[in-house]
Amino acid sequence: MHGLGNDFVVLDAREAPVTMTTALAKALADRHTGIGCDQLILLEPSATADVRMRIWNHDGGEVESCGNASRCVVALTGAKTLETGGGLVEGGTFGADVEVSLPPPHFEWDAIPLSYPMDTAHLPLGWGPLDHPMALSVGNPHVVFFVPDEKAIDMELHGPSIEHDPAFPERINVNVASIREDGIHLRTWERGSGMTLACGTGASATAVAAIVQKKVASPAKVHMRGGALTISWAPGEPIRMRGSATHVFKGEIELEQFT
């Protein structure tokens, strides 16, 4: 499945358990020798929601949250609630679109988390042309930079150095955005995956940052290379994300050949 080109392999382990490892997730995500995806999604039974959704990035690391994957899982299963490592996600379908509600964002330095206390609204840090971002968690950690032209930033150069900076003990997702008349234009370097065509939590974090800084009003349209999402948020409330979720194909694979 994919959400605006952000693509996923979804394994259904609700009836037959699947033991997922870093090595197996990385092998399945490989675009040359596996199935190929940005993130691997494992569906499991949940005692607190309709389904439990676990997420592994392209590099095999398990992470807490993925907005585009959440919308795909809602579209695939019809689930109204998802248990994730980043909290409970609620979802529903609206015509051709799927909307999910992520938990309210966190701005506290230790909730993001950062390695030490600092002003999360304007981090006193810089990397080349990028400096003083806002840091926040939307179920996973993000920094957001607002620049005149997001396309002018070499994300392949600066994304990895920011992602792995010691200031971010769990690494960080890196968002570079510009504000235009039609909304926010965004590029995201995802921790563990690199550049993707779209990032749901990146769009959410960037829209929240833009609303906090009064650069846009809610709801905000966030444009990415793979398409656009509409993000709605008000202080103290969940983040609502609406956009498309697309089924590509269904198949079977022998997991034993990857172990």
Side-chain angles (χ1 to χ4, degrees):
M1 299 191 73
H2 75 86
L4 308 180
N6 186 193
D7 63 332
F8 314 101
V9 167
V10 185
L11 300 181
D12 192 345
R14 289 175 291 178
E15 295 183 3
V18 172
T19 300
M20 187 55 58
T21 64
T22 294
L24 179 56
K26 186 175 182 179
L28 292 171
D30 191 289
R31 297 187 184 278
H32 299 288
T33 57
I35 303 173
C37 60
D38 291 324
Q39 282 93 13
L40 177 86
I41 309 301
L42 187 66
L43 305 183
E44 296 180 333
S46 171
T48 59
D50 292 335
V51 64
R52 182 187 185 199
M53 181 180 80
R54 298 175 65 191
I55 308 148
W56 282 263
N57 275 340
H58 185 80
D59 66 354
E62 188 171 4
V63 295
E64 307 90 349
S65 181
C66 180
N68 282 327
S70 297
R71 290 187 300 103
C72 285
V73 171
V74 169
L76 179 68
T77 66
K80 301 298 184 184
T81 55
L82 308 177
E83 176 191 350
T84 76
L88 183 71
V89 172
E90 298 181 351
T93 56
F94 297 84
D97 287 340
V98 178
E99 181 176 286
V100 295
S101 294
L102 304 179
H106 290 280
F107 304 96
E108 306 86 1
W109 73 271
D110 52 346
I112 294 170
L114 306 179
S115 294
Y116 47 89
M118 66 181 93
D119 179 7
T120 62
H122 301 280
L123 294 187
L125 302 171
W127 301 265
L130 300 172
D131 59 15
H132 296 90
M134 173 176 276
L136 66 158
S137 172
V138 293
N140 57 4
H142 287 263
V143 287
V144 180
F145 300 88
F146 291 104
V147 298
D149 181 4
E150 82 287 351
K151 297 187 297 298
I153 302 299
D154 187 343
M155 296 293 282
E156 298 286 348
L157 173 64
H158 300 293
S161 61
I162 300 172
E163 175 191 352
H164 294 278
D165 192 286
F168 311 116
E170 296 180 6
R171 296 184 294 165
I172 202 84
N173 296 285
V174 184
N175 304 279
V176 175
S178 301
I179 307 297
R180 299 184 189 143
E181 289 186 1
D182 60 346
I184 302 169
H185 287 253
L186 172 66
R187 300 176 70 205
T188 299
W189 177 273
E190 293 195 45
R191 61 172 180 170
S193 295
M195 293 299 298
T196 55
L197 293 176
C199 178
T201 58
S204 298
T206 302
V208 167
I211 293 167
V212 168
Q213 297 180 16
K214 302 187 185 306
K215 297 179 182 294
V216 301
S218 177
K221 187 76 99 175
V222 182
H223 302 270
M224 295 163 284
R225 289 187 297 164
L229 290 171
T230 300
I231 309 296
S232 303
W233 176 75
E237 295 186 0
I239 305 166
R240 299 196 308 277
M241 173 202 316
R242 184 178 293 196
S244 64
T246 305
H247 182 270
V248 180
F249 70 89
K250 180 179 180 179
E252 297 181 4
I253 193 166
E254 297 295 333
L255 295 179
E256 291 77 12
Q257 71 186 53
F258 291 95
T259 59

